[in-house]
Amino acid sequence: MGAIDIRGLKKDYKDVQALRGLDLSVEAGQVYGFCGPNGAGKSTTLKILVGLVFATGGEASLKGIDAINNGVEARKHIGYLPESYGMPNSDTPRKFLTYMGILSGMSKDVVSKRIEEIAKEINLTDNLDRKIKTLSKGNKQRIGIAQALIHDPDILLFDEPTTGLDPLGRNEVLDAMKAFANRGKTVLFSTHILSDVEKICDTVGIIHNGLLIEQGSPEELRKKHGAKDLDEVFLKVAKHG
Ligand SMILES: Nc1ncnc2c1ncn2[C@@H]1O[C@H](COP(=O)(O)OP(=O)(O)OP(=O)(O)O)[C@@H](O)[C@H]1O
Ligand SMILES: [Mg+2]
């Protein structure tokens, strides 16, 4: 049993077959880079794991718990960073994160300690009490990551966590994800930035037209395709079609 097990996952949106039988597994404590062209089905996969989208067929489990039929139980173990979302701009990160913690069933005291801990880890401490609308994109992304971590979940599902960040901000987020995995958490994140995958991922999976077409360690994939880096691997296997 892996931390994340997906078998034969299918999703039809009216006339679009977004997932056509996706198989994917992630071992506990791994960082998994989920790559693929625009529209390949990455966000749909994450949304099914979180329960935001219903699968048309197939199976998905988190720590052995059925994420499709027993979503309430499975969701206790996941922290999710969506691809994009609105935040309460007139509130401060501290207030927003306090709401999120309380919604997860934590007491105010526990949440307030947890916020300090997370803020330290992801470099948000100095901005906890400024209004969200005044913060940079990088800091907004940190708030998104903080809300995903608030209830100390074991599995982190991050949809493009480094998109739009400058190289310093990207490195911080990458380091944080690697540190979570070193503490035994499982991280699955989608991205188009293959150099990020190369830096921190144990395993990379490439999804194309709703199917996983390649999976392995960055080194294995480079060797298999005689490529100098993952960009080259990607260009070889994922043609627009
Ligand atoms: N709500 C929806 N209704 C109809 N089609 C959708 C919906 N959401 C996604 N799709 C379609 O499903 C396919 C997969 O989309 P998805 O957002 O999962 O891709 P993605 O890999 O996350 O792409 P990107 O890299 O651009 O974020 C695309 O063809 C997309 O247009
Ligand atoms: Mg997406």
Side-chain angles (χ1 to χ4, degrees), residues 13-19 36-45 47 83 159-160 190 192 207:
Y13 292 105
K14 288 188 184 152
D15 53 342
V16 180
Q17 276 192 303
L19 298 177
N38 290 124
K42 301 178 295 298
S43 296
T44 298
T45 305
K47 284 178 189 166
E83 196 167 24
D159 204 350
E160 300 198 28
S190 72
H192 293 292
I207 179 177

Side-chain angles (χ1 to χ4, degrees), residues 192-235:
H192 293 292
I193 309 171
L194 295 168
S195 56
D196 285 357
V197 171
E198 209 120 28
K199 270 183 202 151
I200 64 159
C201 289
D202 303 292
T203 310
V204 46
I206 301 178
I207 179 177
H208 190 30
N209 289 332
L211 285 171
L212 201 76
I213 55 164
E214 203 42 285
Q215 179 173 272
S217 70
E219 195 187 353
E220 275 165 9
L221 296 196
R222 276 196 311 268
K223 278 196 182 143
K224 178 174 168 189
H225 293 278
K228 67 175 186 315
D229 56 25
L230 286 179
D231 273 314
E232 206 178 311
V233 173
F234 188 92
L235 291 173

Side-chain angles (χ1 to χ4, degrees), residues 15-108:
D15 53 342
V16 180
Q17 276 192 303
L19 298 177
R20 299 187 297 138
L22 180 84
D23 295 317
L24 187 160
S25 315
V26 189
E27 296 297 314
Q30 284 217 330
V31 183
Y32 188 104
F34 196 27
C35 313
N38 290 124
K42 301 178 295 298
S43 296
T44 298
T45 305
L46 297 182
K47 284 178 189 166
I48 291 173
L49 292 176
V50 181
L52 289 170
V53 160
F54 289 107
T56 319
E59 295 166 16
S61 64
L62 297 162
K63 296 181 75 164
I65 305 164
D66 186 333
I68 292 171
N69 300 304
N70 194 6
V72 172
E73 201 48 44
R75 279 199 289 280
K76 290 181 183 163
H77 302 284
I78 48 184
Y80 173 55
L81 176 74
E83 196 167 24
S84 62
Y85 56 95
M87 283 192 202
N89 272 320
S90 300
D91 285 341
T92 63
R94 195 188 300 278
K95 195 167 172 194
F96 172 57
L97 294 170
T98 304
Y99 283 147
M100 298 305 277
I102 287 172
L103 282 173
S104 301
M106 301 163 80
S107 74
K108 253 191 167 170

